[in-house]
Amino acid sequence: MSRKASISQKREHKDVIGSATSLEWQLNGPTLQKRGYWEVRQMREAKADSGGNRFAIALMVCALLTATSVFAEPIQTIQTQKVDVKVETIAAGLEHPWAVAVLPDGAYLVTERPGRMRLIRDGKISAPISGVPKVYAHGQGGLLDVELDPKFSSNRTLYFTASVAGDGGSGTAVFRATLSPDEKQLTDVKRIFVMNKLSRGNLQYGSRIAIARDGSLFVSLGDRFQQDRAQDFHDDAGSIIHIGADGSIPAYNPFRDGKRALPEIWTKGHRNPQGITFDSQTNKLYTAEHGARGGDEINTPEAGKNYGWPVISYGVNYNGTKIGIGTAKAGMEQPRFYWDPSIAPGAIAVYRGKMFPEWNGDFLVTALKFELLSRLSQDGKGKITERERMFGGKFGRLRDITVAPDGALLITTDESDGALLRISRAAS
């Protein structure tokens, strides 16, 4: 990275932090710059849960001074590079909605990070579904992703991830459950995986699920803000794991014998991958991952490979110091694409729907920091290029993205007063 680019990155980083909440920056600027605004924001929220602090007071003052609802218009038409889109608020008043899945009848199943799962049908939000196990809802932790089993219509099985507490601290777990016929409770809840080492701190759990064609699960796990763990192949942190629908180890896992690495590990060297998906046409697996200050990545996790964190990175530490040895090392994979400065990717989808043929095969990545949707294309040689940024600042922090069966996009906004948005083609 050139000196000029580095100076520009530092300036933009400060601009982002300062514009987010100037009073909070005045009170706690050095801490925010060292740790990164968004991670400190998560720590602030965790502290506020246990009694509040001056972070919460500062944010409240800013909110009173600048209070406007980002959802003032229930339906908006927005022009993008290739097509006009209609953005509709399906439901509002959700508390940090983290993930959405579409039921066969078109209803939406949504997780809220504090530990609730709800159904949204015909614009109405249900009471919390009972049977959700206790989660560790602090900082970036809580109830996270949810995915329906491919045979959900007949078996009503679903999978979800969450941070859980135990001896030594907390970590990411994967659960399997059945949604009752009346849709009011989860039954047969079973924890099918938990990280082998729990630890202190409330940051960087991951975590999303991608279901393979054979019904097995690929799950992304963060490094828990303890970066060296991402290079320990006998530690689940900083990895993509691959497990059966019952938590068993698939026969084609690269370390199935457990000698060189834990048997569930598919790849290592990841920082905090909060997006994972399959391209339904090519069956290729992709992740979107948080870097530090710069260096957010799109990767293609391939069995047994090492994706480098924290030995190599295209970002720097929040205090501006170098990470690892640089940007390349033999035996470590290069990202397919990276952002600098960071956008803080929330999730990733490969568009294969019918509603927007203009976007066929494009990557759609939600962003928390700049509150936008990034669209990227891939050429015949596999080079990924960012083509446009949509919705910047209009709807808040964009977390999950799912392509609905009709080709519309479903996006959740990670706010205390969050929403479920539906993006469809505007009438011409």
Side-chain angles (χ1 to χ4, degrees), residues 192-279:
I192 59 174
F193 168 83
V194 65
M195 292 176 69
N196 68 324
K197 296 180 181 179
L198 303 185
S199 57
R200 304 297 176 188
N202 307 323
L203 300 174
Q204 294 176 197
Y205 295 92
S207 157
R208 291 205 185 272
I209 302 167
I211 302 181
R213 289 176 178 176
D214 65 2
S216 60
L217 313 179
F218 286 83
V219 183
S220 61
L221 305 175
D223 70 358
R224 297 289 285 106
F225 209 58
Q226 298 165 349
Q227 59 184 29
D228 291 342
R229 295 179 65 184
Q231 287 298 317
D232 181 352
F233 279 65
H234 291 278
D235 187 336
D236 286 312
S239 70
I240 305 300
I241 63 164
H242 180 219
I243 57 176
D246 59 356
S248 60
I249 304 300
Y252 55 99
N253 272 19
F255 307 111
R256 193 177 191 282
D257 62 10
K259 293 179 180 178
R260 293 183 296 133
L262 294 174
E264 64 269 18
I265 287 176
W266 185 256
T267 56
K268 282 287 285 184
H270 305 275
R271 184 175 182 268
N272 192 27
Q274 290 189 333
I276 188 168
T277 191
F278 278 100
D279 181 339

Coordinates of all heavy atoms in Angstrom, one line a residue, residues 192-279:
I192 N -25.5 -29.4 18.3 CA -24.8 -30.4 17.5 C -23.3 -30.0 17.4 O -22.5 -30.8 16.9 CB -25.4 -30.6 16.1 CG1 -25.4 -29.3 15.3 CG2 -26.8 -31.2 16.2 CD1 -25.9 -29.5 13.9
F193 N -22.9 -28.8 17.8 CA -21.5 -28.4 17.8 C -21.3 -27.2 18.7 O -22.2 -26.3 18.9 CB -21.1 -27.9 16.4 CG -19.8 -27.2 16.3 CD1 -18.6 -28.0 16.3 CD2 -19.7 -25.8 16.4 CE1 -17.4 -27.4 16.3 CE2 -18.4 -25.2 16.4 CZ -17.3 -26.0 16.4
V194 N -20.1 -27.1 19.4 CA -19.7 -25.9 20.1 C -18.2 -25.9 20.0 O -17.5 -26.9 19.9 CB -20.1 -26.0 21.6 CG1 -19.4 -27.1 22.3 CG2 -19.9 -24.7 22.3
M195 N -17.7 -24.6 19.9 CA -16.2 -24.4 19.8 C -15.5 -25.2 20.9 O -16.0 -25.2 22.0 CB -15.9 -23.0 19.8 CG -16.4 -22.2 18.6 SD -16.1 -20.4 18.8 CE -14.3 -20.3 18.7
N196 N -14.4 -25.8 20.6 CA -13.7 -26.6 21.6 C -13.0 -25.8 22.6 O -12.7 -26.3 23.7 CB -12.6 -27.5 20.9 CG -11.5 -26.7 20.3 OD1 -11.6 -25.6 19.8 ND2 -10.3 -27.3 20.3
K197 N -12.8 -24.5 22.4 CA -12.2 -23.6 23.5 C -13.0 -22.4 23.7 O -13.1 -21.5 22.8 CB -10.8 -23.2 23.0 CG -9.8 -24.4 23.0 CD -8.4 -23.9 22.5 CE -7.4 -25.1 22.4 NZ -6.1 -24.7 22.0
L198 N -13.7 -22.3 24.8 CA -14.4 -21.1 25.2 C -13.5 -20.1 25.7 O -12.4 -20.4 26.3 CB -15.5 -21.4 26.2 CG -16.5 -22.5 25.7 CD1 -17.7 -22.6 26.7 CD2 -17.1 -22.2 24.3
S199 N -13.8 -18.8 25.6 CA -12.8 -17.7 26.0 C -13.6 -16.5 26.4 O -14.8 -16.3 26.2 CB -11.9 -17.4 24.9 OG -12.6 -17.0 23.7
R200 N -12.9 -15.6 27.2 CA -13.4 -14.4 27.6 C -13.5 -13.4 26.5 O -12.9 -13.5 25.4 CB -12.5 -13.8 28.7 CG -12.3 -14.7 29.9 CD -13.6 -15.0 30.6 NE -13.4 -16.0 31.7 CZ -14.4 -16.5 32.4 NH1 -15.7 -16.2 32.1 NH2 -14.1 -17.4 33.4
G201 N -14.3 -12.3 26.7 CA -14.5 -11.3 25.7 C -15.8 -11.6 24.9 O -16.3 -12.7 24.8
N202 N -16.3 -10.5 24.2 CA -17.6 -10.6 23.6 C -17.6 -10.2 22.1 O -18.5 -9.7 21.5 CB -18.6 -9.6 24.3 CG -18.6 -9.8 25.8 OD1 -18.6 -10.9 26.3 ND2 -18.7 -8.7 26.5
L203 N -16.4 -10.5 21.5 CA -16.3 -10.1 20.1 C -16.0 -11.2 19.2 O -15.4 -12.3 19.6 CB -15.1 -9.1 20.0 CG -15.3 -7.8 20.8 CD1 -14.0 -6.9 20.7 CD2 -16.5 -7.0 20.3
Q204 N -16.3 -11.1 17.9 CA -15.9 -11.9 16.8 C -16.2 -13.4 16.9 O -15.4 -14.3 16.9 CB -14.4 -11.7 16.5 CG -14.3 -10.2 16.0 CD -12.8 -9.8 15.7 OE1 -12.5 -8.6 15.6 NE2 -11.9 -10.7 15.6
Y205 N -17.5 -13.7 17.0 CA -18.0 -15.1 17.0 C -18.3 -15.6 15.6 O -18.5 -16.8 15.5 CB -19.4 -15.1 17.8 CG -19.3 -14.7 19.2 CD1 -19.5 -13.4 19.7 CD2 -19.0 -15.7 20.2 CE1 -19.4 -13.1 21.0 CE2 -18.9 -15.4 21.5 CZ -19.1 -14.1 21.9 OH -19.0 -13.7 23.3
G206 N -18.2 -14.8 14.6 CA -18.8 -15.2 13.3 C -20.3 -14.8 13.3 O -20.5 -13.8 13.9
S207 N -21.2 -15.5 12.8 CA -21.2 -16.8 12.4 C -22.4 -17.1 11.5 O -23.5 -16.6 11.9 CB -21.3 -17.8 13.6 OG -21.7 -19.0 13.2
R208 N -22.2 -17.7 10.4 CA -23.3 -18.1 9.5 C -23.2 -19.5 9.0 O -22.2 -20.1 9.2 CB -23.4 -17.1 8.3 CG -23.8 -15.7 8.7 CD -24.5 -14.9 7.6 NE -24.7 -13.6 8.0 CZ -25.8 -13.2 8.7 NH1 -26.8 -14.1 8.9 NH2 -26.0 -11.9 9.0
I209 N -24.3 -20.0 8.5 CA -24.4 -21.4 8.0 C -24.7 -21.4 6.5 O -25.5 -20.6 6.0 CB -25.6 -22.1 8.7 CG1 -25.5 -22.0 10.2 CG2 -25.8 -23.5 8.2 CD1 -26.7 -22.5 11.0
A210 N -24.0 -22.2 5.8 CA -24.4 -22.5 4.4 C -24.6 -24.0 4.3 O -23.8 -24.8 4.7 CB -23.2 -22.1 3.5
I211 N -25.7 -24.4 3.7 CA -26.1 -25.8 3.6 C -25.7 -26.3 2.2 O -26.1 -25.8 1.2 CB -27.6 -26.0 3.9 CG1 -27.9 -25.5 5.3 CG2 -27.9 -27.5 3.8 CD1 -29.4 -25.7 5.7
A212 N -24.9 -27.4 2.2 CA -24.4 -28.0 1.0 C -25.6 -28.8 0.3 O -26.6 -29.1 1.0 CB -23.2 -28.9 1.2
R213 N -25.3 -29.3 -0.9 CA -26.4 -30.0 -1.6 C -26.6 -31.4 -1.0 O -27.7 -31.9 -1.1 CB -25.9 -30.2 -3.1 CG -26.0 -29.0 -3.9 CD -25.5 -29.1 -5.3 NE -25.6 -27.9 -6.1 CZ -25.1 -27.8 -7.3 NH1 -24.5 -28.8 -8.0 NH2 -25.3 -26.6 -8.0
D214 N -25.7 -31.9 -0.2 CA -25.9 -33.2 0.5 C -26.5 -33.0 1.8 O -26.6 -34.0 2.6 CB -24.6 -34.0 0.6 CG -23.5 -33.3 1.4 OD1 -23.8 -32.2 2.0 OD2 -22.4 -33.9 1.5
G215 N -26.8 -31.8 2.2 CA -27.5 -31.5 3.5 C -26.5 -31.2 4.6 O -26.9 -30.9 5.7
S216 N -25.2 -31.3 4.4 CA -24.2 -31.0 5.4 C -24.1 -29.5 5.6 O -24.5 -28.7 4.8 CB -22.8 -31.6 5.1 OG -22.3 -31.1 3.9
L217 N -23.4 -29.1 6.7 CA -23.4 -27.7 7.1 C -22.0 -27.2 7.1 O -21.1 -27.8 7.6 CB -24.0 -27.5 8.5 CG -25.3 -28.2 8.9 CD1 -25.7 -27.8 10.3 CD2 -26.4 -27.7 7.9
F218 N -21.8 -26.0 6.4 CA -20.6 -25.2 6.5 C -20.9 -24.0 7.4 O -21.8 -23.3 7.2 CB -20.1 -24.8 5.2 CG -19.5 -25.9 4.3 CD1 -20.3 -26.7 3.6 CD2 -18.1 -26.1 4.3 CE1 -19.8 -27.8 2.8 CE2 -17.6 -27.1 3.5 CZ -18.4 -28.0 2.8
V219 N -20.1 -23.9 8.5 CA -20.3 -22.8 9.4 C -19.1 -22.0 9.6 O -18.0 -22.5 9.8 CB -20.7 -23.4 10.8 CG1 -21.1 -22.4 11.8 CG2 -21.9 -24.4 10.6
S220 N -19.3 -20.7 9.6 CA -18.1 -19.7 9.8 C -18.0 -19.4 11.2 O -18.9 -19.0 11.9 CB -18.3 -18.5 8.9 OG -19.5 -17.8 9.3
L221 N -16.7 -19.4 11.7 CA -16.4 -19.1 13.1 C -15.3 -18.0 13.2 O -14.3 -18.1 12.5 CB -15.9 -20.3 13.8 CG -16.8 -21.6 13.8 CD1 -16.1 -22.7 14.5 CD2 -18.1 -21.3 14.5
G222 N -15.6 -17.0 14.0 CA -14.6 -15.9 14.2 C -13.5 -16.3 15.1 O -13.5 -17.3 15.8
D223 N -12.4 -15.4 15.1 CA -11.2 -15.7 15.9 C -11.4 -15.3 17.4 O -10.4 -15.4 18.1 CB -10.0 -15.1 15.3 CG -10.0 -13.6 15.4 OD1 -10.9 -13.0 15.9 OD2 -9.0 -13.0 14.9
R224 N -12.5 -14.7 17.7 CA -12.8 -14.3 19.1 C -11.9 -13.1 19.5 O -11.7 -13.0 20.7 CB -12.8 -15.4 20.0 CG -13.8 -16.5 19.8 CD -15.2 -16.1 20.1 NE -15.5 -16.1 21.5 CZ -15.5 -15.0 22.2 NH1 -15.5 -13.8 21.7 NH2 -15.7 -15.1 23.5
F225 N -11.4 -12.3 18.6 CA -10.6 -11.2 18.9 C -9.3 -11.6 19.5 O -8.7 -10.9 20.3 CB -11.3 -10.1 19.7 CG -10.8 -8.7 19.5 CD1 -10.8 -8.2 18.2 CD2 -10.3 -8.0 20.5 CE1 -10.3 -6.9 18.0 CE2 -9.8 -6.7 20.3 CZ -9.8 -6.1 19.1
Q226 N -8.9 -12.9 19.2 CA -7.6 -13.5 19.7 C -6.9 -14.0 18.5 O -7.0 -15.2 18.2 CB -7.9 -14.5 20.8 CG -8.6 -14.0 22.0 CD -9.2 -15.0 22.9 OE1 -9.3 -16.2 22.6 NE2 -9.6 -14.6 24.1
Q227 N -6.3 -13.2 17.7 CA -5.9 -13.5 16.4 C -5.0 -14.7 16.2 O -5.2 -15.4 15.2 CB -5.3 -12.2 15.7 CG -4.0 -11.8 16.4 CD -3.5 -10.5 15.8 OE1 -4.2 -9.7 15.2 NE2 -2.2 -10.3 15.9
D228 N -4.2 -15.0 17.1 CA -3.3 -16.1 16.9 C -4.0 -17.5 16.9 O -3.5 -18.4 16.3 CB -2.2 -16.2 18.0 CG -1.2 -15.0 17.9 OD1 -1.2 -14.4 16.8 OD2 -0.5 -14.7 18.8
R229 N -5.2 -17.5 17.4 CA -6.0 -18.7 17.4 C -6.4 -19.1 16.0 O -6.6 -20.3 15.8 CB -7.3 -18.5 18.3 CG -7.0 -18.3 19.7 CD -8.3 -18.1 20.5 NE -9.1 -19.3 20.5 CZ -10.3 -19.4 21.1 NH1 -10.9 -18.3 21.6 NH2 -11.0 -20.5 21.0
A230 N -6.4 -18.2 15.1 CA -6.8 -18.5 13.7 C -5.7 -19.4 13.0 O -6.0 -19.9 12.0 CB -7.0 -17.2 12.9
Q231 N -4.5 -19.4 13.5 CA -3.5 -20.3 13.0 C -3.2 -21.6 13.7 O -2.3 -22.3 13.4 CB -2.2 -19.5 12.8 CG -2.2 -18.4 11.7 CD -2.4 -19.0 10.4 OE1 -1.8 -20.0 10.0 NE2 -3.3 -18.4 9.6
D232 N -4.0 -21.8 14.8 CA -3.9 -23.0 15.6 C -4.9 -24.0 15.0 O -6.1 -23.9 15.2 CB -4.2 -22.7 17.0 CG -4.1 -24.0 17.9 OD1 -3.9 -25.1 17.4 OD2 -4.1 -23.8 19.2
F233 N -4.5 -25.0 14.3 CA -5.4 -26.0 13.7 C -6.0 -27.0 14.6 O -6.8 -27.8 14.2 CB -4.6 -26.8 12.6 CG -4.5 -26.0 11.3 CD1 -3.7 -24.8 11.2 CD2 -5.1 -26.4 10.1 CE1 -3.6 -24.1 10.0 CE2 -5.0 -25.7 8.9 CZ -4.3 -24.5 8.9
H234 N -5.7 -26.9 15.9 CA -6.4 -27.6 16.9 C -7.3 -26.7 17.8 O -7.6 -27.1 18.9 CB -5.4 -28.4 17.8 CG -4.7 -29.5 17.0 ND1 -5.3 -30.8 16.9 CD2 -3.5 -29.5 16.4 CE1 -4.5 -31.5 16.1 NE2 -3.4 -30.8 15.8
D235 N -7.7 -25.6 17.2 CA -8.6 -24.6 17.8 C -9.6 -24.3 16.7 O -9.3 -23.9 15.6 CB -7.8 -23.4 18.2 CG -8.6 -22.4 19.0 OD1 -9.9 -22.4 18.9 OD2 -8.0 -21.6 19.8
D236 N -10.9 -24.3 17.1 CA -12.0 -24.0 16.1 C -12.0 -22.5 15.7 O -12.6 -22.2 14.7 CB -13.3 -24.4 16.7 CG -13.6 -25.9 16.7 OD1 -13.3 -26.5 15.7 OD2 -14.0 -26.4 17.7
A237 N -11.5 -21.6 16.6 CA -11.6 -20.2 16.3 C -10.9 -19.9 15.0 O -9.8 -20.4 14.6 CB -10.9 -19.4 17.4
G238 N -11.5 -18.9 14.2 CA -10.9 -18.5 13.0 C -11.0 -19.5 11.9 O -10.0 -19.6 11.1
S239 N -12.1 -20.2 11.8 CA -12.1 -21.3 10.8 C -13.5 -21.4 10.1 O -14.5 -20.8 10.6 CB -11.9 -22.7 11.5 OG -12.9 -23.1 12.4
I240 N -13.5 -22.1 9.1 CA -14.8 -22.6 8.5 C -14.8 -24.1 8.8 O -13.9 -24.9 8.5 CB -14.9 -22.5 7.0 CG1 -14.6 -21.0 6.6 CG2 -16.2 -22.9 6.4 CD1 -15.5 -20.0 7.1
I241 N -15.9 -24.5 9.5 CA -16.0 -25.9 9.9 C -17.1 -26.6 8.9 O -17.9 -25.9 8.3 CB -16.4 -26.2 11.3 CG1 -17.8 -25.5 11.6 CG2 -15.4 -25.6 12.3 CD1 -18.4 -26.0 12.9
H242 N -17.0 -27.9 8.8 CA -17.9 -28.7 8.0 C -18.4 -29.9 8.8 O -17.6 -30.7 9.2 CB -17.2 -29.2 6.7 CG -18.1 -30.0 5.8 ND1 -17.6 -31.1 5.1 CD2 -19.4 -29.8 5.5 CE1 -18.6 -31.6 4.4 NE2 -19.7 -30.8 4.6
I243 N -19.7 -29.9 9.1 CA -20.3 -31.0 9.9 C -21.5 -31.5 9.2 O -22.1 -30.9 8.4 CB -20.6 -30.5 11.3 CG1 -21.6 -29.3 11.3 CG2 -19.4 -30.2 12.1 CD1 -22.1 -28.8 12.6
G244 N -21.9 -32.8 9.6 CA -23.2 -33.3 9.1 C -24.3 -32.6 9.8 O -24.2 -31.9 10.8
A245 N -25.5 -32.9 9.3 CA -26.7 -32.3 9.9 C -27.0 -32.7 11.3 O -27.7 -32.1 12.0 CB -27.9 -32.7 9.0
D246 N -26.3 -33.8 11.7 CA -26.4 -34.3 13.1 C -25.2 -33.9 13.9 O -25.0 -34.4 15.0 CB -26.7 -35.8 13.1 CG -25.6 -36.6 12.4 OD1 -24.6 -35.9 11.8 OD2 -25.6 -37.8 12.4
G247 N -24.2 -33.2 13.3 CA -23.0 -32.8 14.0 C -21.9 -33.8 13.8 O -20.8 -33.6 14.3
S248 N -22.1 -34.8 13.0 CA -21.0 -35.8 12.7 C -20.0 -35.2 11.7 O -20.2 -34.1 11.1 CB -21.6 -37.1 12.1 OG -22.3 -36.8 10.9
I249 N -18.9 -35.9 11.5 CA -17.8 -35.5 10.7 C -18.0 -36.1 9.3 O -17.9 -37.4 9.2 CB -16.4 -35.8 11.3 CG1 -16.3 -35.2 12.7 CG2 -15.3 -35.3 10.3 CD1 -16.4 -33.7 12.7
P250 N -18.2 -35.3 8.2 CA -18.3 -35.9 6.9 C -17.0 -36.7 6.4 O -15.9 -36.3 6.8 CB -18.5 -34.7 6.0 CG -19.2 -33.7 6.9 CD -18.4 -33.9 8.2
A251 N -17.2 -37.7 5.6 CA -16.1 -38.5 5.2 C -15.1 -37.8 4.4 O -13.9 -38.2 4.3 CB -16.6 -39.7 4.4
Y252 N -15.5 -36.7 3.7 CA -14.5 -36.0 2.8 C -13.9 -34.8 3.4 O -13.3 -34.0 2.7 CB -15.2 -35.7 1.5 CG -16.5 -34.8 1.6 CD1 -16.5 -33.5 1.4 CD2 -17.7 -35.5 1.8 CE1 -17.6 -32.7 1.4 CE2 -18.9 -34.7 1.9 CZ -18.8 -33.4 1.7 OH -20.0 -32.6 1.7
N253 N -14.0 -34.6 4.8 CA -13.3 -33.5 5.4 C -11.8 -33.7 5.3 O -11.3 -34.9 5.4 CB -13.7 -33.5 6.9 CG -14.9 -32.6 7.1 OD1 -15.7 -32.3 6.2 ND2 -15.1 -32.1 8.3
P254 N -11.0 -32.7 5.1 CA -9.6 -32.8 4.9 C -8.8 -33.3 6.1 O -7.7 -33.9 5.9 CB -9.1 -31.4 4.5 CG -10.2 -30.5 5.1 CD -11.4 -31.3 5.1
F255 N -9.3 -33.1 7.3 CA -8.5 -33.5 8.5 C -9.4 -34.5 9.3 O -9.3 -34.5 10.6 CB -8.2 -32.3 9.4 CG -7.5 -31.2 8.6 CD1 -8.2 -30.0 8.3 CD2 -6.2 -31.4 8.2 CE1 -7.5 -29.0 7.6 CE2 -5.5 -30.3 7.5 CZ -6.2 -29.1 7.2
R256 N -10.1 -35.4 8.7 CA -11.0 -36.2 9.3 C -10.4 -37.1 10.4 O -11.0 -37.4 11.4 CB -11.7 -37.1 8.3 CG -12.9 -37.9 8.9 CD -13.6 -38.7 7.8 NE -14.9 -39.2 8.3 CZ -15.1 -40.2 9.1 NH1 -14.1 -40.9 9.5 NH2 -16.3 -40.5 9.5
D257 N -9.1 -37.5 10.2 CA -8.5 -38.3 11.2 C -8.0 -37.6 12.5 O -7.7 -38.2 13.5 CB -7.3 -39.1 10.6 CG -6.2 -38.1 10.2 OD1 -6.2 -36.9 10.4 OD2 -5.2 -38.6 9.5
G258 N -8.1 -36.2 12.5 CA -7.8 -35.4 13.6 C -6.3 -35.3 14.0 O -6.0 -34.7 15.0
K259 N -5.4 -35.8 13.2 CA -4.0 -35.8 13.5 C -3.4 -34.4 13.3 O -2.7 -33.9 14.2 CB -3.3 -36.8 12.7 CG -3.7 -38.2 13.1 CD -2.9 -39.3 12.2 CE -3.3 -40.7 12.6 NZ -2.6 -41.7 11.7
R260 N -3.6 -33.8 12.2 CA -3.0 -32.5 11.8 C -3.9 -31.3 12.2 O -3.4 -30.2 12.3 CB -2.6 -32.4 10.4 CG -1.5 -33.4 9.9 CD -1.2 -33.2 8.5 NE -2.3 -33.5 7.6 CZ -2.8 -32.8 6.6 NH1 -2.1 -31.6 6.4 NH2 -3.8 -33.2 5.9
A261 N -5.1 -31.6 12.5 CA -6.1 -30.5 12.8 C -7.4 -31.2 13.3 O -7.6 -32.4 13.2 CB -6.4 -29.7 11.5
L262 N -8.2 -30.3 13.9 CA -9.5 -30.9 14.4 C -10.3 -31.4 13.2 O -10.3 -30.8 12.1 CB -10.3 -29.7 15.0 CG -9.7 -29.2 16.3 CD1 -10.6 -28.0 16.8 CD2 -9.7 -30.2 17.4
P263 N -11.0 -32.5 13.4 CA -11.7 -33.2 12.2 C -12.7 -32.3 11.6 O -13.0 -32.5 10.4 CB -12.2 -34.5 12.8 CG -12.3 -34.2 14.3 CD -11.2 -33.3 14.6
E264 N -13.3 -31.4 12.3 CA -14.4 -30.6 11.7 C -13.9 -29.4 10.9 O -14.7 -28.8 10.1 CB -15.3 -30.0 12.8 CG -14.7 -29.1 13.8 CD -14.1 -29.8 15.0 OE1 -13.9 -31.0 15.0 OE2 -13.9 -29.1 16.0
I265 N -12.6 -29.1 11.0 CA -12.1 -27.9 10.3 C -12.0 -28.2 8.8 O -11.5 -29.2 8.3 CB -10.7 -27.6 10.8 CG1 -10.9 -26.9 12.2 CG2 -10.0 -26.6 9.9 CD1 -9.6 -26.6 12.9
W266 N -12.6 -27.2 8.0 CA -12.5 -27.2 6.6 C -11.4 -26.3 6.1 O -10.5 -26.7 5.3 CB -13.8 -26.8 6.0 CG -13.9 -26.8 4.5 CD1 -13.9 -25.8 3.6 CD2 -14.1 -28.0 3.7 NE1 -14.1 -26.2 2.3 CE2 -14.2 -27.6 2.4 CE3 -14.3 -29.4 4.0 CZ2 -14.4 -28.5 1.3 CZ3 -14.5 -30.3 3.0 CH2 -14.5 -29.8 1.6
T267 N -11.3 -25.1 6.6 CA -10.3 -24.1 6.4 C -9.9 -23.3 7.6 O -10.7 -23.3 8.5 CB -10.6 -23.1 5.2 OG1 -11.9 -22.5 5.6 CG2 -10.8 -23.8 3.9
K268 N -8.7 -22.7 7.6 CA -8.3 -21.9 8.8 C -7.8 -20.6 8.2 O -7.7 -20.3 7.0 CB -7.2 -22.6 9.5 CG -7.7 -23.7 10.5 CD -8.4 -23.1 11.7 CE -7.4 -22.6 12.7 NZ -8.1 -22.1 13.9
G269 N -7.4 -19.7 9.2 CA -6.8 -18.4 8.8 C -7.8 -17.3 8.5 O -7.6 -16.4 7.7
H270 N -9.0 -17.4 9.2 CA -10.1 -16.4 9.0 C -10.2 -15.5 10.2 O -10.0 -16.0 11.3 CB -11.4 -17.1 8.7 CG -11.4 -18.1 7.6 ND1 -11.6 -17.7 6.3 CD2 -11.2 -19.5 7.6 CE1 -11.5 -18.8 5.5 NE2 -11.3 -19.9 6.3
R271 N -10.5 -14.3 10.0 CA -10.6 -13.4 11.2 C -12.0 -13.4 11.8 O -12.2 -13.8 12.9 CB -10.3 -11.9 10.7 CG -10.3 -10.9 11.9 CD -9.8 -9.6 11.5 NE -9.7 -8.6 12.6 CZ -10.7 -7.8 12.9 NH1 -11.8 -7.8 12.2 NH2 -10.6 -7.0 14.0
N272 N -13.0 -12.9 11.0 CA -14.4 -12.9 11.5 C -15.3 -13.0 10.3 O -15.9 -12.0 9.9 CB -14.7 -11.6 12.3 CG -16.0 -11.7 13.1 OD1 -16.4 -12.8 13.4 ND2 -16.6 -10.6 13.4
P273 N -15.5 -14.2 9.8 CA -16.4 -14.4 8.6 C -17.8 -14.4 9.0 O -18.3 -15.3 9.6 CB -15.9 -15.7 8.0 CG -15.4 -16.5 9.2 CD -14.8 -15.4 10.2
Q274 N -18.6 -13.3 8.7 CA -20.0 -13.2 9.0 C -20.9 -13.4 7.8 O -22.1 -13.3 7.9 CB -20.3 -11.9 9.7 CG -19.7 -11.8 11.1 CD -20.1 -10.6 11.9 OE1 -20.5 -9.6 11.3 NE2 -20.1 -10.7 13.2
G275 N -20.3 -13.8 6.7 CA -21.0 -14.1 5.5 C -20.5 -15.4 4.9 O -19.3 -15.6 4.8
I276 N -21.4 -16.3 4.5 CA -21.0 -17.6 3.9 C -22.2 -18.0 3.0 O -23.4 -18.0 3.5 CB -20.6 -18.7 4.9 CG1 -20.0 -19.9 4.1 CG2 -21.7 -19.1 5.8 CD1 -19.3 -20.9 5.1
T277 N -21.9 -18.5 1.8 CA -23.0 -18.9 0.9 C -22.4 -19.7 -0.2 O -21.3 -19.7 -0.6 CB -23.7 -17.6 0.3 OG1 -24.9 -18.0 -0.4 CG2 -22.8 -16.9 -0.7
F278 N -23.3 -20.5 -0.8 CA -23.0 -21.3 -2.0 C -23.6 -20.6 -3.2 O -24.7 -20.0 -3.1 CB -23.6 -22.7 -1.9 CG -22.8 -23.7 -1.2 CD1 -23.2 -24.0 0.1 CD2 -21.7 -24.3 -1.8 CE1 -22.4 -25.0 0.8 CE2 -21.0 -25.3 -1.1 CZ -21.3 -25.6 0.2
D279 N -22.9 -20.6 -4.3 CA -23.5 -20.2 -5.6 C -24.3 -21.4 -6.1 O -23.8 -22.4 -6.3 CB -22.3 -19.9 -6.6 CG -22.8 -19.4 -7.9 OD1 -24.0 -19.7 -8.3 OD2 -22.1 -18.8 -8.7

